[in-house]
Amino acid sequence: MKKIMLVFGTRPEAIKMAPLVKALQKDTEHFETIVCVTGQHREMLDQVLDIFDIKPNYDLNIMKQGQDLYDVTAKVLIGMRDVLKECHPDIVLVHGDTTTSMAAALAAFYQQIPVGHVEAGLRTHNIYSPWPEEINRQLTGRIATYHFAPTPLSKKNLLAEGVDEKHIFVTGNSVIDALYWVVNKIQQDKKLQTELVGILYQARYNIHRLDAGKKLVLITGHRRENFGDGFISMCKAIKTLTEKYPDVDFVYPMHLNPNVRKPIYEVFGEDLSNLGNMFFIEPLEYLSFVYLMEKSTLVLTDSGGIQEEAPGLGKPVLVMRDTTERPEALEAGTVKLVGTDYDKIVHEVSRLLEDDIYYENMSKAVNPYGDGLACKRIVEELRVNDSCLS
């Protein structure tokens, strides 16, 4: 039996690692599964842990008001030192591009513990976009021994950087595993559906507004590189769209970061409670967000994970970033980059709302990120491939 430690700390990481935790926990013959969370996000992380019924073995609980990247990196590095010394795992699995992943991988390296990188090989080749995620991902890739790449292009990126091919495993993306698990859970549970309607209502959006076929544009924004003028431009474009399409609902679950909320207040005013068809609501836990995304017409976002999730539900995605580490989605036609450019945002949202053929082409494009079996493939590699656990 091998001891596998999974380390994650943000909500997106937790969503993508949760189905892998559950898959590993089922195989008690081959694995002892240890879960360590850093608490880089706190409330949002705990919500995901509750949904998937995951109880961490270790919790660094690092989140403090006003923390910056120096704080997060140092706290994770020092916290993981003690956890790894106590636990002695055979392999540490980290995910994606967060500061938690980079620092946890470095901590494992300092104790000569092999690292497996889930969602490995995504690249923009611009270390400042997305920032700091691109360099976190590259650094984690340099440290990792085993690379679980979501797509063939991710594998190609790793090969170009000199990674040994026998240590790269193309698996699909575990976010699709999580998405399908949640959608299935919602569809099969009428009581849960009623609860989610109530949660959205408490968050200030009545989902029954969509009963007569009204369209919904779902919006998210949180990227550091967009802070300041980028967010101002995004908000101005959104305001224009709400005025241009009074019969379309625009729903924006606001990130807690004050750098996200400040430009919203500047553009829309301090009172966000009565803006007609524009609904600024509090952040949603994962179940509610997936439920709302499934009801949406299209998604306007600067998120990375949503570029993978929304196409799995047949929703076109407009990405408010200048680059993406997920070019497979661009090639497949499931997403389009609009940056924070006012004119591009207004034009592309308008086209999707008005041009049925354009919308159909994006919504029915094949999602390149997998079939919901990524975790099964990762567990199989860990189980049968000696190179992963030797």
Side-chain angles (χ1 to χ4, degrees), residues 308-321:
E308 301 154 348
E309 291 173 299
L313 299 174
K315 310 299 178 182
V317 183
L318 298 176
V319 182
M320 295 184 290
R321 288 161 55 180

Side-chain angles (χ1 to χ4, degrees), residues 72-77 80 98-108 136 140 143:
V72 174
T73 303
K75 289 175 182 176
V76 172
L77 196 57
M80 288 305 304
T98 68
T99 303
T100 282
S101 295
M102 182 273 292
L106 185 59
N136 283 341
T140 303
I143 294 167

Side-chain angles (χ1 to χ4, degrees), residues 239-260:
K239 186 174 184 181
T240 294
L241 287 163
T242 64
E243 295 166 352
K244 184 177 181 181
Y245 298 102
D247 294 330
V248 175
D249 280 357
F250 294 79
V251 180
Y252 190 156
M254 295 183 294
H255 198 278
L256 296 172
N257 193 313
N259 289 302
V260 174

Side-chain angles (χ1 to χ4, degrees), residues 231-333:
F231 266 104
I232 292 290
S233 178
M234 289 158 52
C235 289
K236 286 181 177 178
I238 293 164
K239 186 174 184 181
T240 294
L241 287 163
T242 64
E243 295 166 352
K244 184 177 181 181
Y245 298 102
D247 294 330
V248 175
D249 280 357
F250 294 79
V251 180
Y252 190 156
M254 295 183 294
H255 198 278
L256 296 172
N257 193 313
N259 289 302
V260 174
R261 297 197 171 202
K262 184 173 181 288
I264 291 173
Y265 294 131
E266 287 184 22
V267 173
F268 287 89
E270 292 294 325
D271 184 6
L272 304 177
S273 61
N274 188 20
L275 296 173
N277 61 331
M278 180 74 241
F279 299 87
F280 289 103
I281 65 177
E282 292 305 309
L284 298 172
E285 46 78 30
Y286 185 54
L287 277 176
S288 301
F289 185 80
V290 170
Y291 182 68
L292 188 59
M293 183 163 58
E294 198 275 331
K295 300 290 186 184
S296 71
T297 303
L298 65 97
V299 181
L300 183 62
T301 185
D302 63 7
S303 168
I306 292 174
Q307 296 175 50
E308 301 154 348
E309 291 173 299
L313 299 174
K315 310 299 178 182
V317 183
L318 298 176
V319 182
M320 295 184 290
R321 288 161 55 180
D322 296 320
T323 60
T324 179
E325 65 278 46
R326 293 165 172 85
E328 300 94 332
L330 289 176
E331 185 175 340

Side-chain angles (χ1 to χ4, degrees), residues 94 96 115-125 134-172 325 327-328:
V94 298
V115 171
H117 189 192
V118 179
E119 197 186 72
L122 281 67
R123 296 289 185 271
T124 66
H125 305 292
E134 172 71 8
I135 202 65
N136 283 341
R137 196 183 288 276
Q138 289 193 31
L139 291 171
T140 303
R142 294 296 298 169
I143 294 167
T145 303
Y146 312 112
H147 307 260
F148 300 104
T151 67
L153 179 58
S154 300
K155 176 180 179 178
K156 183 179 178 182
N157 290 336
L158 293 165
L159 290 172
E161 294 173 1
V163 177
D164 191 331
E165 185 170 11
K166 71 174 182 285
H167 287 159
I168 305 172
F169 311 94
V170 178
T171 61
E325 65 278 46
E328 300 94 332

